[in-house]
Amino acid sequence: MRNCKSYCPINQALEVFGDKWTLLIIRDIMFDGKRYFREMLGSDEKIASNILTDRLNKLEEFGILVKTKDAHHKQKNVYSLTDKGIELMPVMIEIAHWSTKHRKVSEKDRIHVKELVDGGQKLQDKMQEALRSELESVSNS
Amino acid sequence: MRNCKSYCPINQALEVFGDKWTLLIIRDIMFDGKRYFREMLGSDEKIASNILTDRLNKLEEFGILVKTKDAHHKQKNVYSLTDKGIELMPVMIEIAHWSTKHRKVSEKDRIHVKELVDGGQKLQDKMQEALRSELESVSNS
DNA sequence: TTTGACTGGTTGCAAAAAACAACTGGACAA
DNA sequence: TTGTCCAGTTGTTTTTTGCAACCAGTCAAA
């Protein structure tokens, strides 16, 4: 650990995603189906390309995602969540759920989160399974 | 909203706690029973006093906590979580749960988190209720 | 009533991180 | 072969963080 302040679980998590951008990148992959650098660069929050590069590299180092070459376009990289990343889904959903209660959120997202929460464990398992099979398909190439 | 990048629920949450310190302060109050500035200053992660001042003020502005005068010591402030803060408990527990699976965590904390997770909704409700009654008692003085 | 430790902070400066804009070389499709 | 798209890189400015020293009010004990 580079600059590990403590072995408290909250702090250990913050060393991975305790900043303004990392969870947005994970959101892009987990919920918005984004897989390429340019797609993430185009998200509403307008992340700078150097920051995106930096965070993708860090997430790869942490084992949250893997970078593979696109089969059809030599220059494109495909970013996929690992198990470690996929298992952040409950965290993401709890955060989103809290935000819909206590923060100003777009109507579209409010509905999206409600579906996710109402879908319960069953929906979540299904979504995680979909991400896992994707991971499997990129690792077999 | 000062510099609201988007109304995505994840981003809206990050505007509140998307940094290395805020969730540690919430942890101190929520799980470690800390109520005073100096107590939080003394946590393992060694936050600087100017950063602590800044974050406590921001959390108060966001309505996550309230600052009240201590009844027995004129100089001391008591920091208590509001409902909005208390309802971050599921988020905190999911984060901690993820960390115990995927990050290096102290044995003491691992056990603590396991108890919290195994305790289920019932334990969580009880803990939230305790924090709420505390809030009530400071607001009646 | 003095002393000394403790209270919640503030201040100034150095270092690190983020934001911004311009740019790069390889790849692809027409 | 030309223009567009690709994942980044580079250099500069601005913002945030980290650090240490400091402060005045307060409290408990001598």
Side-chain angles (χ1 to χ4, degrees):
Chain A
M1 308 297 140
R2 290 187 289 251
N3 37 345
C4 170
K5 291 199 290 273
S6 80
Y7 292 102
C8 160
I10 299 296
N11 183 57
Q12 281 294 311
L14 291 174
E15 310 230 339
V16 177
F17 55 76
D19 73 276
K20 290 249 178 275
W21 294 108
T22 301
L23 286 185
L24 296 177
I25 295 170
I26 293 172
R27 171 207 62 184
D28 280 351
I29 307 179
M30 189 177 282
F31 299 111
D32 297 348
K34 301 191 178 179
R35 298 294 177 268
Y36 303 112
F37 192 89
R38 289 282 152 178
E39 286 180 317
M40 303 182 205
L41 209 54
S43 291
D44 287 347
E45 293 86 6
K46 299 299 167 205
I47 189 170
S49 62
N50 54 346
I51 307 288
L52 180 56
T53 300
D54 177 76
R55 294 305 188 280
L56 287 170
N57 287 337
K58 280 182 180 162
L59 284 171
E60 201 180 7
E61 283 171 36
F62 281 129
I64 305 288
L65 52 77
V66 285
K67 189 201 289 199
T68 50
K69 289 279 171 200
D70 186 278
H72 306 296
H73 190 304
K74 284 179 187 171
Q75 222 169 3
K76 273 173 148 174
N77 293 322
V78 180
Y79 295 94
S80 316
L81 292 173
T82 61
D83 239 55
K84 198 165 168 175
I86 293 165
E87 292 195 16
L88 279 170
M89 194 177 284
V91 172
M92 299 293 279
I93 291 177
E94 285 296 345
I95 290 174
H97 189 201
W98 179 85
S99 275
T100 59
K101 282 199 231 170
H102 296 290
R103 301 279 299 162
K104 189 172 173 182
V105 156
S106 76
E107 196 50 28
K108 188 173 68 61
D109 285 333
R110 185 180 302 280
I111 292 164
H112 188 190
V113 173
K114 187 169 161 39
E115 283 168 4
L116 235 45
V117 171
D118 291 350
Q121 197 59 48
K122 205 169 167 180
L123 175 57
Q124 233 183 101
D125 286 346
K126 201 178 121 192
M127 292 181 64
Q128 293 195 21
E129 189 45 44
L131 290 166
R132 280 198 189 91
S133 70
E134 222 183 285
L135 177 64
E136 203 181 338
S137 79
V138 298
S139 59
N140 297 341
S141 59
Chain B
M1 307 297 142
R2 288 186 289 253
N3 39 343
C4 170
K5 292 198 292 270
S6 81
Y7 293 103
C8 160
I10 300 297
N11 183 56
Q12 280 294 313
L14 290 174
E15 309 229 340
V16 177
F17 55 76
D19 73 277
K20 291 252 178 274
W21 294 109
T22 301
L23 286 185
L24 297 177
I25 295 169
I26 293 171
R27 170 207 63 186
D28 279 352
I29 307 179
M30 190 177 283
F31 299 111
D32 297 348
K34 301 191 179 179
R35 297 294 177 269
Y36 303 113
F37 192 91
R38 289 281 155 177
E39 285 180 318
M40 302 181 206
L41 208 53
S43 290
D44 286 349
E45 294 85 6
K46 299 299 166 205
I47 190 171
S49 62
N50 54 346
I51 307 289
L52 181 55
T53 300
D54 178 76
R55 293 306 189 279
L56 287 171
N57 288 337
K58 280 183 179 160
L59 284 172
E60 201 181 5
E61 282 171 36
F62 281 128
I64 306 289
L65 52 77
V66 284
K67 189 202 289 199
T68 49
K69 289 279 170 199
D70 187 280
H72 305 297
H73 189 304
K74 285 180 187 172
Q75 220 170 4
K76 274 173 147 172
N77 293 321
V78 181
Y79 294 94
S80 315
L81 292 173
T82 61
D83 238 54
K84 198 164 168 177
I86 293 166
E87 291 194 18
L88 279 170
M89 196 179 281
V91 172
M92 299 293 279
I93 291 176
E94 284 297 344
I95 291 175
H97 189 201
W98 178 85
S99 274
T100 59
K101 283 200 231 171
H102 297 291
R103 303 279 299 162
K104 188 173 174 182
V105 156
S106 76
E107 195 52 27
K108 187 174 68 63
D109 285 333
R110 183 180 303 281
I111 292 165
H112 188 187
V113 173
K114 187 170 161 38
E115 284 169 4
L116 236 44
V117 172
D118 291 350
Q121 197 59 47
K122 205 170 166 180
L123 175 58
Q124 233 183 100
D125 287 345
K126 200 178 122 193
M127 292 180 65
Q128 294 195 21
E129 189 43 45
L131 290 166
R132 279 195 190 96
S133 68
E134 221 183 288
L135 177 63
E136 203 182 336
S137 79
V138 298
S139 58
N140 298 341
S141 61

